[in-house]
């Protein structure tokens, strides 16, 4: 018999996860990094994280849904940096990222298609229910493509069809 003696040992409720990319999801996909301007957007009339409030509103009725960042921002900077770009409400939901240098070497991770990066995290984290929001559908394993809500680079979460798909998935949770 195993005794439970810490909060880490106490089983929680079901793990529901939203895997979330940034570029092409929370804002227009035209994001670049330069030494003079840092991370910046080249699409006129758009700003970084302009559609993140939509995700916050969609998730609001579902406080048990956690976020795992599946964005290259984590690999390029850090989990802490990427998480800090979000609103406090979304930050509170972030429990990790698909990139974890303790589990996967950077080069191996970079060579994996996004869908495989997400699937590896699903295998490691073992969520009860999960879905991914991403503008990149190349290389997704056939067995998990039905968990992907694909966005368009120039619409991301502003697309009403994407919002409907997210509501439908969340309702099934």
């Amino acid at each position: 018999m195993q005794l439970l003696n810490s909060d880490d040992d106490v089983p929680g409720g079901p793990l529901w996860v939203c895997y979330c990319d940034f570029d092409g999801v929370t804002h227009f996909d035209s994001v670049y990094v330069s030494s003079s301007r840092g991370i910046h957007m080249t699409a006129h009339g758009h700003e970084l994280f302009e559609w993140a409030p939509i995700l916050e509103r969609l998730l609001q009725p579902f406080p048990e849904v956690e976020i795992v960042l599946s964005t290259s921002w984590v690999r390029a900077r850090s989990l802490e940096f990427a998480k800090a770009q979000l609103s406090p409400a979304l930050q509170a939901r972030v429990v990790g990222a698909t990139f974890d240098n303790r589990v996967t070497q950077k080069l191996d991770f970079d060579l994996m298609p996004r869908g495989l990066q997400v699937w590896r995290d699903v295998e490691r984290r073992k969520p009860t229910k999960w879905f991914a929001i991403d503008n990149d559908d190349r290389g997704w394993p056939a067995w998990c493509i039905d968990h992907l809500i694909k966005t368009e680079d120039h619409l991301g979460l502003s697309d009403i069809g994407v919002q409907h798909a997210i509501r439908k998935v969340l309702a099934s949770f």
Side-chain angles (χ1 to χ4, degrees):
M1 181 167 122
Q2 182 180 4
L3 296 176
L4 301 177
N5 57 14
S6 78
D7 287 37
D8 292 338
D9 296 326
V10 178
L15 178 59
W16 297 344
V17 174
C18 168
Y19 288 90
C20 187
D21 183 23
F22 282 176
D23 304 337
V25 175
T26 62
H27 50 247
F28 201 93
D29 189 51
S30 290
V31 176
Y32 298 92
V33 179
S34 72
S35 56
S36 62
R37 295 182 63 193
I39 298 174
H40 61 281
M41 178 150 309
T42 60
H44 181 69
H46 291 278
E47 59 186 54
L48 293 171
F49 301 97
E50 65 185 310
W51 301 318
I54 296 169
L55 181 60
E56 187 173 330
R57 284 192 302 274
L58 290 168
L59 293 179
Q60 192 276 327
F62 302 91
E64 50 284 293
V65 175
E66 298 177 334
I67 295 173
V68 174
L69 299 179
S70 58
T71 174
S72 59
W73 286 49
V74 173
R75 165 67 180 83
R77 294 291 177 99
S78 70
L79 172 60
E80 294 74 24
F81 177 85
K83 182 177 172 178
Q85 307 311 303
L86 299 171
S87 69
L90 289 176
Q91 286 180 36
R93 292 177 180 270
V94 174
V95 295
T98 54
F99 177 69
D100 184 340
N101 62 0
R102 298 169 298 176
V103 176
T104 307
Q105 296 294 318
K106 290 179 182 182
L107 180 59
D108 292 339
F109 188 82
D110 290 345
L111 294 174
M112 274 185 245
R114 178 67 53 79
L116 192 52
Q117 293 170 357
V118 169
W119 178 248
R120 281 198 155 176
D121 192 84
V122 167
E123 287 184 314
R124 186 172 65 244
R125 207 174 293 272
K126 301 193 182 322
T128 309
K129 300 235 182 196
W130 67 275
F131 69 102
I133 310 168
D134 205 310
N135 65 326
D136 183 359
D137 63 351
R138 291 170 288 140
W140 276 75
W143 57 88
C144 65
I145 192 73
D146 58 334
H147 290 269
L148 171 65
I149 297 174
K150 176 152 181 346
T151 61
E152 297 300 323
D153 294 349
H154 62 289
L155 295 174
L157 289 165
S158 74
D159 183 335
I160 299 300
V162 166
Q163 293 174 35
H164 176 72
I166 293 170
R167 282 188 194 94
K168 187 176 177 182
V169 167
L170 290 170
S172 76
F173 282 14

